[in-house]
Amino acid sequence: MPLLEIHDLRKRFGALEVLRGITLQVEQGEVIAIIGRSGSGKSTLLRCVNGLERFESGCATVEGQPLRHDDAAALRALRQRVGMIFQSFNLFPHLSAGRNVMLAPTLMRRLSGATAEAQARALLARVGLAEKFDAMPDQLSGGQQQRVAIARALAMEPAVLLCDEITSALDPELVGEVLRVVESLADEGMTLLMVTHEMGFARKVAHRVIFLDAGKIV
């Protein structure tokens, strides 16, 4: 059974149909790059998979569980299995890097403070930021903030990680440090769905490249 299954997904904003019947299956450990021009529906597709956007018709299942907006508990449980990293890092500015990573596990998975801290330190080390546990977001470069965001997403131990143009807000010299972390996740067998403009990276890391145009896979 595919880890992620999308069938005939349709999404509109007012009169504009942004996704026009997307069907896609993603296997465990697969890395898929989604490319296409601006406005083709790439980010909307990821937001639908994560439950951030309601879709008009079709279905999406993760590990066999359907995404249902009418069941808050089921949606919350599914979101814990689907990690998402955004273009803008979205770190809480009043929390240190370590506390940003600890927050969701302590709230959602009810980890003790000591367990969550140990996990956060291990994850920050995994993304090359072992020494930044107590650093505040405004003391970090954009690339470092994005790596904290990756660690925060990994803290929920997701089955699949959605990456929405995670390097597009970075200065060119910082892009490589983030892509190296994503490449290491791919090497470790993480299931990844990435919207990206980094064609060389997509060619190197992705098992498949999906090209979206006007809301359809072409």
Side-chain angles (χ1 to χ4, degrees), residues 96-106 109 111-134 147-157:
S96 70
R99 299 291 162 191
N100 263 283
V101 177
M102 288 172 62
L103 187 62
T106 51
R109 291 173 52 215
L111 291 192
S112 70
T115 302
E117 180 175 338
Q119 181 199 44
R121 289 187 182 279
L123 286 170
L124 286 174
R126 187 174 174 186
V127 299
L129 295 173
E131 75 292 353
K132 297 295 186 183
F133 185 91
D134 293 313
R147 285 188 279 154
V148 173
I150 293 171
R152 181 175 62 179
L154 294 174
M156 292 302 290
E157 299 179 357

Side-chain angles (χ1 to χ4, degrees), residues 75-195:
L75 188 60
R76 198 160 48 244
L78 181 134
R79 278 209 186 117
Q80 291 186 39
R81 304 296 294 148
V82 181
M84 185 144 182
I85 310 163
F86 301 88
Q87 293 180 38
S88 50
F89 326 122
N90 291 347
L91 299 182
F92 291 106
H94 62 292
L95 296 177
S96 70
R99 299 291 162 191
N100 263 283
V101 177
M102 288 172 62
L103 187 62
T106 51
L107 290 178
M108 304 294 292
R109 291 173 52 215
R110 302 282 191 265
L111 291 192
S112 70
T115 302
E117 180 175 338
Q119 181 199 44
R121 289 187 182 279
L123 286 170
L124 286 174
R126 187 174 174 186
V127 299
L129 295 173
E131 75 292 353
K132 297 295 186 183
F133 185 91
D134 293 313
M136 300 303 284
D138 64 2
Q139 298 172 311
L140 301 173
S141 71
Q144 290 172 330
Q145 289 187 59
Q146 192 60 291
R147 285 188 279 154
V148 173
I150 293 171
R152 181 175 62 179
L154 294 174
M156 292 302 290
E157 299 179 357
V160 57
L161 199 55
L162 311 178
C163 303
D164 188 12
E165 298 194 33
I166 60 172
T167 58
S168 64
L170 298 176
D171 294 332
E173 67 270 19
L174 302 177
V175 168
E177 67 187 59
V178 173
L179 293 182
R180 278 191 293 276
V181 170
V182 177
E183 186 176 354
S184 72
L185 296 177
D187 290 342
E188 291 166 19
M190 171 66 75
T191 308
L192 292 163
L193 208 54
M194 306 184 301
V195 171

